[in-house]
Amino acid sequence: MTTTSPLDLDYVRSQFPGLSRGWTYFDNAGGSQILKGALERINTFLIEKNVQIGGSYEVSQSAASALHEARTAAMHLVNASRPEEIVFGSSTTALLQNLARAMQSQLSVGDEIIVTVSDHESNIGPWDRLREGGVTLKFWLLNKESLTLDLADLASLMSERTKLVCVTHVSNILGSINPVREIADFVHARGAKICVDAVAYAPHRAVDVQAFNVDYYVFSLYKTYGPHYALMYGKYDLLLELDTLYHYFYGKDKVPGKLEPGNPNYELAYSTCGIVDYLTALGEQAGETGTVRRKIEAAFAAITVQENLLTERLLSYLRSRNDCRIVGQSANHEESRVPTIAFRFDGREARELCKAMDGENIAMRFGDFHSRRLAEYLELIDHGGMLRVSMVHYNTLEEIDRFTAALDRILSGGAGFAKAS
Ligand SMILES: Cc1ncc(COP(=O)(O)O)c(C=O)c1O
């Protein structure tokens, strides 16, 4: 493993204004810090272009160009084949609820949808609600030994009535990367489509929807260095088949507008350009001189190296303690893990440990992280659930060392709270 970071961390951290406020942010899977460039795009839109699109006047055309620029940036970010394959929405939850609604006329009584027990509720609940219309929901369970989703288990669930398989790219608890291309091929070979929740993946690795061959792919910009907003990729032909969610005169061919009722939020969509600008700059710093897409890939290659260093530093500390259970793979074999790391300490309340960290200005989280079915399935809901440290590339080894030193102090009783019985 490389032992030095290829990133210029001073540059990286200078791009996130929130990082200079004295906090260590270890709750990035809850929400990352926003890029200066993303903020600037929001301001630029609101100050210079803040009118409705579709007018004949110059400012309205400039606003429409900004929205098109945003979709084009998102197209590069995920490697879609055209900007119209990008649907903006307020959150991943809302986009998946919209997708389920827009799919309704394609589904008949007795059709089947498969979801996984390891998904965030956002990619289960919307599909579960379709049971009201006669759709059957099946659960793809996790192998409790290996904590993996096994294709053999999926095979036994699929039938000729299976229309859709919904799966997370990375669980926001386990942190390991699911083999999405392999799953997509498996699902397609059996005549179904795949819908991927990539919220816990997109901040860490280059998304390539063409290489993954996914049908629908959704993630939140507020966890990928932008504001509270989200985007969904869909294969163009599949988006054409979806029902309109907008006015009746937005026909099936109005892609993606028919899936963005009331219009997207222009300024937040425009922030995507700032995210892509940043990744482009990182790619250039890594020596890439090719296309924007190549620069994004080079940026994430460098980000991965930095994240591997962080992952190993924290995992090796947790492994060294005999009172700690890591929830997920305890090693980062073949870079298969992102630095989203959940764990528990014997006989300790997750809430108490987390609250003790508040006093250290270390922001982290405890609970089930809305992946409640997984927490229940793994029997991890007592004692406040799990603690989670979720890092991204702007975090540093020094921050981890400060955290582990604080944890040592707290666990040895220095924080002055009683052990849970
Ligand atoms: C894996 C995962 N999926 C989906 C979501 C929901 O995203 P949003 O808040 O944009 O609806 C989250 C949020 O924590 C998440 O971690």
Side-chain angles (χ1 to χ4, degrees), residues 29 91-94 120 122 168 170 172 197 199-200 220 222-223 230 369:
S91 65
T92 291
T93 306
H120 186 282
S122 289
T168 188
V170 169
N172 67 347
D197 172 349
V199 172
S220 314
Y222 74 97
K223 308 194 199 239
F369 320 108

Side-chain angles (χ1 to χ4, degrees), residues 133-378:
V135 167
T136 301
L137 193 78
K138 292 180 172 178
F139 272 91
W140 182 7
L141 298 179
L142 201 69
N143 179 325
K144 278 192 178 168
E145 298 271 293
S146 60
L147 298 178
T148 53
L149 289 167
D150 296 343
L151 288 179
D153 293 329
L154 180 59
S156 64
L157 293 175
M158 289 190 79
S159 78
E160 68 283 354
R161 296 302 302 268
T162 308
K163 292 287 187 269
L164 187 70
V165 174
C166 304
V167 60
T168 188
H169 204 155
V170 169
S171 142
N172 67 347
I173 291 177
L174 303 174
S176 44
I177 300 172
N178 288 321
V180 155
R181 174 62 197 239
E182 208 185 323
I183 300 171
D185 288 349
F186 193 88
V187 166
H188 290 148
R190 285 155 184 77
K193 304 281 183 267
I194 182 166
C195 170
V196 179
D197 172 349
V199 172
Y201 178 90
H204 307 288
R205 303 290 166 95
V207 170
D208 188 339
V209 291
Q210 295 187 65
F212 303 156
N213 198 15
V214 284
D215 299 305
Y216 305 102
Y217 194 89
V218 191
F219 62 91
S220 314
L221 293 176
Y222 74 97
K223 308 194 199 239
T224 311
Y225 320 121
H228 270 84
Y229 211 48
L231 65 85
M232 177 178 86
Y233 157 83
K235 280 184 182 155
Y236 189 73
D237 289 348
L238 296 180
L239 295 183
L240 282 176
E241 286 172 26
L242 294 174
D243 305 336
T244 184
L245 302 175
Y246 211 169
H247 306 309
Y248 74 90
F249 42 84
Y250 277 71
K252 282 212 161 194
D253 60 327
K254 290 271 188 293
V255 168
K258 71 173 182 186
L259 302 167
E260 297 174 328
N263 285 322
N265 178 312
Y266 304 140
E267 63 270 20
L268 299 186
Y270 195 45
S271 74
T272 316
C273 301
I275 299 171
V276 168
D277 289 346
Y278 168 72
L279 293 168
T280 305
L282 285 193
E284 284 166 3
Q285 288 171 18
E288 179 57 54
T289 56
T291 59
V292 169
R293 181 62 205 171
R294 293 275 298 271
K295 289 174 184 165
I296 291 171
E297 287 168 4
F300 276 107
I303 284 172
T304 301
V305 175
Q306 162 71 0
E307 291 193 351
N308 286 341
L309 297 173
L310 300 172
T311 303
E312 186 46 35
R313 179 72 65 108
L314 183 57
L315 284 179
S316 67
Y317 167 82
L318 297 174
R319 282 193 305 258
S320 75
R321 293 199 62 109
N322 57 14
D323 56 351
C324 178
R325 169 175 171 196
I326 298 169
V327 183
Q329 311 295 336
S330 57
N332 185 15
H333 295 301
E334 296 176 353
E335 303 184 342
S336 58
R337 222 187 184 298
V338 301
T340 300
I341 302 174
F343 46 92
R344 310 227 294 175
F345 286 100
D346 297 340
R348 293 287 191 156
E349 293 290 327
R351 176 196 308 271
E352 305 278 2
L353 293 173
C354 203
K355 283 185 84 65
M357 284 299 162
D358 296 349
E360 305 280 337
N361 271 20
I362 295 175
M364 57 184 297
R365 187 172 292 270
F366 70 95
D368 62 24
F369 320 108
H370 287 187
S371 294
R372 182 156 308 170
R373 298 181 200 247
L374 179 61
E376 285 173 352
Y377 179 70
L378 297 178

